[in-house]
């Protein structure tokens, strides 16, 4: 099913990424398929260990230590999976850029931010030195760094956490990427700065027509930022839909559990719902539904029979054997507010 209204730029089909021995593999991403439309922000949400980062890293071919990646990753129709390192490098950082949770780990502490932006411009554009400097200032300005012209010669440690995150976004944008992979880009920041960075990603996506996959473990972040959302658990997708639909009317018990854990909109004295238990280890995943051990409505077949991701209505996909029981268990959304 084509799940976005926009022209599809990224079409991931049956992605599978595994580690360890061939005969007893640890499957971190298992038969994951989704699409991202031009200029669209797709949220990839799930608890820690769900396989979100490995999904993004599989797209760029930057898994260390190396995993085995199978399936298709069609970038504007071209499959990235079989490409060699040299060909991938031409796409990585240029057409597709990635930003990480911890900016200090991807910024070079010994180089000024001006030089780091310009390095990217050297690698990915034909601009001369003067034009590169002007562009670097423009980029810092674009991501909302005050007095951009005077910050080119500053080192990363001279910026606050939020400003460093902006610098990292500016570096990523230097190549005019058509897809930005953002891996929990705001998790380490306080809530006000988080909101500013998310607004920034939103306006860049809108103004530059850049598609974004925003990885987060926070449904609140999805609600505020994303056009569509894919919910991931145990390396598999459990629900995909428009943000409006999923927030208002989640179907999968795992999505419902995540939504009930949003701290906002909770009436005073309402106990916060958090999903009991912890995600399974990769070597202890059941053959059936990955969520079955923690699911409040799991039936006897759930640990053994894997539910397919099936269309419900025109724009929603859900993988669950017990959708009606889930609705009955969690009740209408209003009950939790
Ligand atoms: P998320 O980003 O959703 O928190 P990850 O994608 O980082 O989760 O990891 C998914 C699973 O893959 C985790 O259980 C993690 O321990 C496992 N994993 C990640 N990298 C490797 C590796 N190189 N070898 C084995 N397992 C790995
Ligand atoms: Mg991660």
């Amino acid at each position: 099913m084509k799940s976005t209204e926009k022209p599809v730029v990224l079409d991931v089909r049956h992605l599978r990424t595994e580690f360890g021995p061939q005969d007893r593999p640890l499957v971190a991403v298992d038969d994951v398929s989704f699409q991202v439309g031009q200029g669209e922000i797709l949220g990839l949400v799930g608890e820690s260990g769900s396989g979100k980062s490995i999904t993004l890293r599989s797209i760029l071919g930057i898994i260390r230590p190396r995993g085995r990646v199978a399936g298709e990753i069609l970038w504007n129709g071209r499959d990235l999976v079989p490409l060699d390192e040299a060909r991938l490098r031409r796409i990585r950082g240029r057409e597709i850029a990635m930003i990480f949770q911890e900016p200090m780990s991807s910024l070079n502490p010994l180089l000024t931010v001006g030089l780091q932006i310009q390095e990217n411009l050297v690698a990915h554009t034909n601009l001369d030195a003067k034009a590169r400097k002007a562009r670097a200032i423009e980029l810092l300005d674009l991501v909302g760094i005050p007095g951009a012209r005077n910050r080119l010669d500053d080192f990363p440690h001279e910026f606050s956490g939020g400003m460093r995150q902006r610098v990292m976004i500016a570096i990523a944008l230097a190549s005019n990427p058509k897809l930005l992979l953002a891996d929990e880009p705001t998790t380490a920041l306080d809530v006000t700065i988080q909101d500013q960075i998310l607004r920034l990603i939103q306006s860049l996506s809108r103004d530059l027509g850049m598609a974004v996959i925003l990885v987060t473990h926070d449904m609140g972040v999805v609600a505020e930022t994303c056009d569509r959302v894919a919910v991931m658990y145990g390396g598999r997708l459990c629900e995909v839909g428009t943000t409006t639909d999923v927030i208002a009317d989640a179907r999968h018990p795992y999505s419902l559990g995540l939504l009930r854990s949003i701290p906002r909109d909770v009436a005073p004295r309402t106990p916060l719902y958090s999903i009991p238990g912890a995600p399974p280890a990769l070597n202890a995943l059941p053959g059936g539904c990955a969520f079955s051990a923690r699911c409040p409505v799991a039936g006897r077949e759930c640990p053994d029979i894997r539910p397919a991701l099936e269309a419900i209505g025109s724009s929603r996909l859900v993988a669950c054997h017990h959708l009606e029981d889930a609705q009955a268990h969690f009740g209408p959304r209003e009950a939790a507010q």
Side-chain angles (χ1 to χ4, degrees):
M1 181 173 86
K2 183 168 178 290
S3 48
T4 169
E5 302 293 305
K6 313 254 176 63
V8 172
V9 288
L10 182 74
D11 189 358
V12 174
R13 297 183 183 175
H14 307 294
L15 178 66
R16 178 183 173 96
T17 304
E18 54 177 53
F19 300 99
Q22 299 263 11
D23 54 342
R24 274 182 306 111
L26 297 169
V27 185
V29 178
D30 193 352
D31 197 19
V32 163
S33 301
F34 62 87
Q35 300 166 326
V36 188
Q38 189 177 14
E40 182 177 70
I41 306 184
L42 174 73
L44 188 56
V45 64
E47 289 162 292
S48 180
S50 309
K52 307 180 299 294
S53 295
I54 298 294
T55 300
L56 291 196
R57 288 173 170 276
S58 300
I59 294 170
L60 279 188
I62 50 165
I63 298 169
R64 303 285 178 274
R66 261 187 122 69
R68 293 184 295 278
V69 179
E72 288 173 291
I73 299 169
L74 300 171
W75 169 240
N76 288 315
R78 181 187 193 196
D79 191 3
L80 302 182
V81 173
L83 293 192
D84 60 24
E85 179 62 24
R87 288 207 173 79
L88 261 184
R89 210 177 303 130
R90 252 173 267 150
I91 292 172
R92 190 192 300 148
R94 184 180 309 200
E95 295 170 38
I96 306 178
M98 183 154 172
I99 55 176
F100 300 89
Q101 178 175 344
E102 190 23 76
M104 270 327 248
S105 62
S106 47
L107 290 172
N108 183 338
L110 304 176
L111 281 185
T112 66
V113 306
L115 281 175
Q116 295 188 57
I117 298 177
Q118 291 182 57
E119 264 187 351
N120 240 19
L121 292 169
V122 170
H124 299 300
T125 69
N126 299 320
L127 300 176
D128 64 20
K130 191 163 164 231
R132 283 200 300 270
K133 183 168 177 191
R135 180 70 181 141
I137 295 170
E138 213 174 84
L139 284 163
L140 288 179
D141 200 44
L142 182 70
V143 298
I145 291 185
R149 183 174 299 277
N150 301 319
R151 303 299 312 258
L152 284 186
D153 296 329
D154 289 347
F155 290 89
H157 72 263
E158 297 177 271
F159 291 79
S160 67
M163 286 295 154
R164 269 202 295 267
Q165 198 58 279
R166 287 169 193 258
V167 167
M168 199 165 62
I169 297 174
I171 293 174
L173 293 178
S175 59
N176 293 320
K178 293 287 171 283
L179 173 64
L180 180 68
L181 306 178
D183 195 354
E184 312 221 21
T186 63
T187 306
L189 304 170
D190 74 53
V191 175
T192 317
I193 312 290
Q194 268 194 30
D195 281 345
Q196 290 173 7
I197 300 285
L198 294 171
R199 292 289 85 77
L200 170 66
I201 290 175
Q202 254 182 334
S203 67
L204 291 170
S205 162
R206 198 173 46 230
D207 299 347
L208 309 176
M210 178 178 71
V212 179
I213 303 180
L214 178 68
V215 161
T216 174
H217 57 254
D218 185 342
M219 271 288 194
V221 166
V222 169
E224 284 175 36
T225 318
C226 301
D227 300 307
R228 286 189 311 121
V229 53
V231 182
M232 193 164 189
Y233 187 82
R236 305 165 194 176
L237 292 183
C238 17
E239 179 155 8
V240 183
T242 66
T243 302
T244 323
D245 285 354
V246 174
I247 298 288
D249 180 27
R251 297 300 180 86
H252 195 284
Y254 183 58
S255 324
L256 284 158
L258 286 178
L259 279 162
R260 294 300 192 266
S261 66
I262 296 186
R264 273 175 284 266
D265 304 328
V266 174
R269 293 181 301 279
T270 308
L272 264 185
Y273 181 87
S274 79
I275 306 169
L282 291 187
N283 60 6
L285 280 169
C289 174
F291 188 55
S292 53
R294 296 170 76 192
C295 180
V297 300
R300 200 179 299 159
E301 76 284 26
C302 294
D304 302 317
I305 302 173
R306 185 161 168 182
L309 195 60
E310 281 174 346
I312 303 223
S314 61
S315 62
R316 185 94 61 108
L317 296 164
V318 189
C320 177
H321 295 305
H322 292 279
L323 290 176
E324 277 163 26
D325 298 338
Q327 292 289 298
H329 177 87
F330 285 92
R333 173 73 178 134
E334 291 69 45
Q337 288 184 350

